[in-house]
Amino acid sequence: MTEETAAIRNRRPARRRLIVLGLNAVALTALLGGAAAWLALMSPLPRQTGRIDLTGLTAPVTIARDAKGVPHIRAANREDSWFALGWVHAQDRMWQMETMRRLGSGRLAEAIGPAGLVNDRFMRTLGLRRLAELSLSRLDEPTRAALTAYANGVNAWLTSPETRLPLEYSLLGLHPEPWSPVDSMLWQKLMALQLAGNWPDDILRARLARRIDPRRIPELFPAGGTETGQGLSETGWGALLAAIPSAARPAPASNIWIVAGNRSASGKPILSNDPHLPFIAPSYWYLAGIEAPGLSLAGATSPGLPFLVIGHNDKIAWGFTSAEADTVDLFIEKKEGETAYRTPDGTRPFTVREEVIKVKDAPDVALTVRETRHGPVISDLIASDLAAPGEVVAFSSTALGDNDTGVQTLMRMNLARDWPSFAAVQRDVQAPALNVGYADVGGTIALTTVGRIPIRRSGNGLLPARGWTGAGDWIGWIPPTKMPQTVNPRSGILINANNRPSPDKYPYMIAALWPETYRAERLREILEPRKGMSVADMVALQGDIVSLQAVEIKDLLTGIEPASERGREAVRLIADWTGDVSRDRPEPLLLAAWVASLSRAIFADELGDLYDPQSPPSPKVLVDAFTKRRYWCDDITTPAAESCEELIERSLEQALTDLKADWGRDMSRWRWGDAHKARFAHPVLGQVPLLRRWATQEIRTDGDNATLSRGTYRIDGGRFPHVHGPTLRTVIDLADLNDSRFLIVPGQSGHPMSSHYSDQLKDWRDNRPFRLDSDSPWVLTLAPRPVAPE
């Protein structure tokens, strides 16, 4: 062996040791990194047992969490119960609360950079936080004390030595500021803005008037027919609110029905409510039970607010639907120079304020906000095309009141003991306008409309008004004593599914247009013949997936005899179908694709870029086009005159071609649920590749836009994603409040690694609500911090 060969052999063990050491170092680094990542993910999960001493409590509070993670709070007094609710909200949903107050305050760009400027400019222009501060000063002392106690509970969690902030704070490099009562007031402002969704249609109608004969515009927005225009694009406002989950405009929807004791098996009322909102994770709702002297609450709270929103105390139960009232108007104002505008009484100066928006990793942005007597000027941000040279557009909304005591009203509703006390406090509601359902252990049931609804000097609020004429000015509100109200009807049934709550000869205009009535009709169809109904019957009704809309449309379309065999097969399937919109059937997918293709063929030529191919078509508008307004079927871009029958068959063939490309040749194997999936995505963690798996949940679902179990979808080629529906289900039994059922989606926790982040998702899809169970082995005690001796 040469010396060179020996040297090479001697170097090999050393090289191997270096390789092994290197691999061990890599493995150790990966292990430590994984452990750190696991710690970052798991450490924010709430502590559920033991004892924590805190400053701000007057007596010990116990928090027992049930199998679904629902906290049951037992306190010695009301203030401590509000404190404890603030604590558990912060434990499970602090990032959601942070997002809500940043959205409402116009401070999103501080967290996410320039992408948040669209939101911040709009919210600063509306001035929601300034208005919340003014409204806070109008509240009575008990309500302010409750908000303060709640804020103290949130802040106790934020400052506790054992608290680990949610991962979102670390990812964005943020640290939360202390919570304040004004932050809670913003919840009500955002909800009022969210439910005041009619104003984009005002913009659309104004734009349509420049494209088609104005006399034909009402045909796209039929009275009593639809909440949105036929396939109309939301260009011009949708982009503005696209990044604002709490303020995005949903399709109007919610169901409430109440049966009196003479209709129930127990002899006591049953109240069922399922508010519908856009899907997001975590839920808008947070279930909780609260027990304190003179206080016994169970139901749905909303993180950021210390009171029950929907649920019951030990005497009464209540729930809501959106009243669909027209509470927003746009006013076109004529400028007089750059600092003033014209009014019926002469020139008036703009009210001007300056805002500075801080932007992460970018310079601050200065914003000048002008206001007229009607409200803030929004045409610098949106709808600028509605204002001619020398004009601006102002935004008038009941959500922009500076003396709104709606939060106070909610607290008083929580404490009400009977119908007279409950009815009295509703008169103070300003925004949003709501239909409020009520039932009590004494047997009273009621349904009433509340909120400020404007009376206009003239006009119906469907188009922007000329501000300088005064013609569209608001001259008052519908008196609270004149609002629609029904108490203890002879029928023993009360129903609202966003349908018009007032009779035909009602002297005031709540809204000029109303959503379609399919859900309300379905409720009447099932409830009116029945007696002896139980909680189980009400639960089953919330899961109903028969679509009267689908039945009406299919009966209209299936009278044709297509030339192709596949067309005839599709028509046979749909014609024999009962309208049961099951995720495991092909017919809902066939009909949805056919109607989408047909809507595009009928309306896209006239509407041009104002036609939205993702918007589900209005059944009433389609029916009218096939019957009394057949001129819509003619394609104005071709010399020949097309008939409705031609478009119906042509659209069916196009739909079948599209579906075949997405789902295969055999239409009997197509399934609605494969194309109709509900997706619940965390707005921050859902964007992180390694966390997306946990932060985003998706599930096949039933239903369509008109089923009681609402399956509102958008159109995306051959897919129809489920984007909006019941985010909370409640059935409250006034004979046995402990037998009441609740369910939210996707779960209680805002932490994707929690077992309660999405553990209600399948139960929600399959309509399996549960009882709240206060008996639990997981009990945490919050105790007053001992005072150190002087």
Side-chain angles (χ1 to χ4, degrees):
M1 179 185 301
T2 65
E3 293 183 4
E4 183 178 356
T5 303
I8 292 173
R9 289 187 175 180
N10 290 335
R11 285 200 296 268
R12 284 175 180 170
R15 186 178 301 162
R16 290 194 191 100
R17 286 194 296 272
L18 287 174
I19 292 172
V20 170
L21 287 173
L23 291 173
N24 287 339
V26 170
L28 181 61
T29 300
L31 182 64
L32 292 174
W38 183 254
L39 182 64
L41 288 170
M42 300 302 291
S43 61
L45 297 183
R47 179 175 171 183
Q48 301 187 43
T49 59
R51 173 187 169 114
I52 302 176
D53 294 337
L54 299 169
T55 301
L57 285 171
T58 63
V61 177
T62 62
I63 302 171
R65 290 182 180 263
D66 64 20
K68 295 293 187 181
V70 177
H72 298 264
I73 297 167
R74 291 185 175 89
N77 55 71
R78 291 178 186 173
E79 284 69 27
D80 284 352
S81 73
W82 309 137
F83 180 104
L85 186 61
W87 173 277
V88 295
H89 278 174
Q91 275 190 312
D92 286 321
R93 302 285 191 88
M94 190 64 230
W95 176 253
Q96 182 183 34
M97 294 162 64
E98 178 76 39
T99 302
M100 182 270 290
R101 69 171 167 180
R102 285 187 175 275
L103 289 169
S105 301
R107 295 180 57 192
L108 191 60
E110 287 183 27
I112 66 173
L117 280 172
V118 173
N119 167 82
D120 291 355
R121 287 192 178 102
F122 187 59
M123 292 301 178
R124 296 290 186 97
T125 297
L126 298 186
L128 291 194
R129 188 169 189 91
R130 179 178 59 89
L131 296 170
E133 290 169 350
L134 292 171
S135 293
L136 177 65
S137 66
R138 311 290 203 275
L139 302 181
D140 63 16
E141 180 53 36
T143 308
R144 289 201 302 272
L147 293 173
T148 299
Y150 177 85
N152 289 342
V154 176
N155 293 328
W157 182 84
L158 286 173
T159 57
S160 173
E162 65 177 40
T163 290
R164 299 294 180 268
L165 291 174
L167 182 61
E168 296 92 329
Y169 285 102
S170 299
L171 290 175
L172 295 174
L174 298 174
H175 190 82
E177 298 170 359
W179 192 263
S180 76
V182 174
D183 297 328
S184 293
M185 295 291 289
L186 277 170
W187 178 92
Q188 184 265 338
K189 292 293 184 187
L190 285 169
M191 183 58 69
L193 183 63
Q194 181 177 14
L195 295 180
N198 59 291
W199 58 277
D201 287 343
D202 299 350
I203 297 174
L204 286 171
R205 281 184 284 269
R207 288 174 173 156
L208 281 167
R210 298 198 294 264
R211 178 178 291 276
I212 65 175
D213 185 340
R215 292 173 296 182
R216 296 178 66 179
I217 293 175
E219 298 172 9
L220 301 172
F221 298 85
T226 182
E227 65 273 8
T228 58
Q230 167 62 42
L232 290 169
S233 171
E234 296 169 348
T235 301
W237 80 272
L240 178 64
L241 299 182
I244 316 173
S246 297
R249 172 179 176 250
S254 287
N255 303 319
I256 193 166
W257 64 92
I258 312 161
V259 296
N262 62 358
R263 292 273 186 168
S264 74
S266 69
K268 293 290 186 180
I270 305 174
L271 183 150
S272 303
N273 189 201
D274 51 291
H276 306 171
L277 291 167
F279 293 153
I280 195 170
S283 172
Y284 298 91
W285 308 104
Y286 183 91
L287 299 175
I290 301 173
E291 297 286 339
L295 191 68
S296 180
L297 298 170
T301 67
S302 188
L305 195 68
F307 311 124
L308 206 65
V309 181
I310 293 172
H312 67 81
N313 61 28
D314 59 330
K315 297 292 184 182
I316 71 170
W318 65 93
F320 303 107
T321 67
S322 170
E324 305 308 316
D326 190 348
T327 58
V328 176
D329 278 347
L330 302 178
F331 289 87
I332 298 176
E333 315 277 20
K334 280 194 176 296
K335 293 193 297 182
E336 295 287 350
E338 292 303 316
T339 61
Y341 64 100
R342 193 182 305 173
T343 78
D345 303 318
T347 300
R348 185 181 298 188
F350 289 107
T351 300
V352 179
R353 54 187 165 86
E354 302 294 335
E355 299 275 349
V356 176
I357 303 173
K358 295 186 179 300
V359 185
K360 182 179 181 180
D361 300 327
D364 294 351
V365 173
L367 178 69
T368 299
V369 178
R370 297 175 291 176
E371 293 194 27
T372 74
R373 64 194 183 95
H374 294 117
V377 172
I378 64 167
S379 48
D380 294 337
L381 308 173
I382 184 176
S384 58
D385 59 320
L386 303 188
E391 295 177 346
V392 294
V393 179
F395 183 91
S396 189
S397 171
T398 59
L400 302 185
D402 61 4
N403 61 348
D404 193 339
T405 57
V407 170
Q408 176 177 298
T409 298
L410 192 58
M411 177 178 175
R412 292 177 177 179
M413 289 168 63
N414 280 215
L415 302 177
R417 311 297 292 167
D418 53 27
W419 171 243
S421 59
F422 189 87
V425 303
Q426 292 183 80
R427 300 189 187 106
D428 296 329
V429 176
Q430 294 186 27
L434 299 166
N435 299 308
V436 184
Y438 169 93
D440 64 34
V441 296
T444 295
I445 66 172
L447 185 65
T448 185
T449 304
V450 303
R452 282 188 175 176
I453 300 175
I455 299 173
R456 296 167 179 84
R457 178 169 282 117
S458 64
N460 56 15
L462 293 179
L463 287 168
R466 296 175 178 177
W468 65 92
T469 69
D473 284 2
W474 295 0
I475 57 175
W477 318 105
I478 299 177
T481 56
K482 301 294 184 181
M483 296 285 268
Q485 178 175 287
T486 305
V487 182
N488 293 328
R490 178 179 294 182
S491 67
I493 300 171
L494 289 169
I495 290 170
N496 186 267
N498 308 114
N499 50 296
R500 180 178 175 177
S502 55
D504 290 341
K505 294 185 178 180
Y506 185 67
Y508 300 99
M509 190 192 77
I510 296 175
L513 303 176
W514 294 96
E516 287 157 340
T517 59
Y518 297 111
R519 286 177 289 120
E521 291 169 12
R522 178 64 175 165
L523 283 169
R524 292 191 191 97
E525 180 182 275
I526 295 174
L527 291 172
E528 286 180 350
R530 298 187 63 180
K531 289 190 176 181
M533 288 177 281
S534 66
V535 168
D537 293 328
M538 299 299 98
V539 168
L541 190 50
Q542 286 186 332
D544 186 79
I545 55 172
V546 172
S547 173
L548 298 185
Q549 168 186 293
V551 171
E552 180 180 18
I553 293 295
K554 84 178 184 71
D555 289 347
L556 189 68
L557 297 184
T558 54
I560 65 168
E561 183 67 23
S564 71
E565 176 55 36
R566 69 173 187 173
R568 292 191 293 272
E569 181 184 356
V571 167
R572 284 194 297 269
L573 275 172
I574 295 173
D576 293 340
W577 175 48
T578 61
D580 184 46
V581 190
S582 166
R583 62 183 180 272
D584 294 322
R585 298 193 67 92
E587 297 93 343
L589 179 55
L590 275 165
L591 186 63
W594 189 0
V595 170
S597 177
L598 180 58
S599 172
R600 183 169 58 250
I602 293 174
F603 297 104
D605 54 325
E606 279 98 339
L607 302 183
D609 60 359
L610 293 180
Y611 180 80
D612 181 4
Q614 290 193 316
S615 177
S618 160
K620 181 167 179 58
V621 177
L622 276 178
V623 169
D624 286 351
F626 299 151
T627 54
K628 55 188 176 183
R629 299 188 177 105
R630 293 174 65 85
Y631 46 78
W632 281 105
C633 291
D634 179 38
D635 186 345
I636 63 173
T637 66
T638 65
E642 289 82 6
S643 70
C644 293
E645 289 72 21
E646 286 179 74
L647 293 192
I648 289 173
E649 183 171 355
R650 188 187 307 166
S651 298
L652 174 60
E653 292 298 331
Q654 183 62 56
L656 293 173
T657 298
D658 295 341
L659 290 173
K660 177 183 174 183
D662 284 314
W663 307 110
R665 181 181 298 274
D666 185 356
M667 70 177 69
S668 68
R669 299 174 64 88
W670 298 346
R671 296 292 180 262
W672 176 236
D674 295 336
H676 186 254
K677 294 181 180 180
R679 186 172 184 267
F680 299 85
H682 190 291
V684 174
L685 301 182
Q687 308 301 315
V688 179
L690 294 177
L691 301 178
R692 190 177 297 135
R693 171 184 170 188
W694 292 279
T696 302
Q697 300 293 320
E698 192 172 68
I699 194 167
R700 300 169 71 249
T701 55
D702 306 306
D704 68 9
N705 296 348
T707 51
L708 291 178
S709 183
R710 183 83 179 235
T712 306
Y713 60 82
R714 299 288 287 172
I715 301 167
D716 183 13
R719 287 171 169 77
F720 301 85
H722 186 181
V723 296
H724 179 279
T727 51
L728 163 71
R729 290 191 178 116
T730 65
V731 176
I732 302 175
D733 182 4
L734 276 301
D736 181 4
L737 291 168
N738 291 327
D739 193 38
S740 300
R741 313 297 169 86
F742 301 91
L743 190 148
I744 63 174
V745 65
Q748 279 283 105
S749 179
H751 303 293
M753 299 305 293
S754 168
S755 61
H756 302 305
Y757 181 72
S758 60
D759 60 339
Q760 296 182 49
L761 182 62
K762 289 185 179 179
D763 289 336
W764 168 79
R765 192 269 306 277
D766 297 331
N767 192 34
R768 296 191 298 255
F770 53 89
R771 300 174 184 87
L772 302 186
D773 182 9
S774 59
D775 294 328
S776 169
W778 301 287
V779 179
L780 175 68
T781 299
L782 305 181
R785 189 183 302 278
V787 179
E790 296 182 0

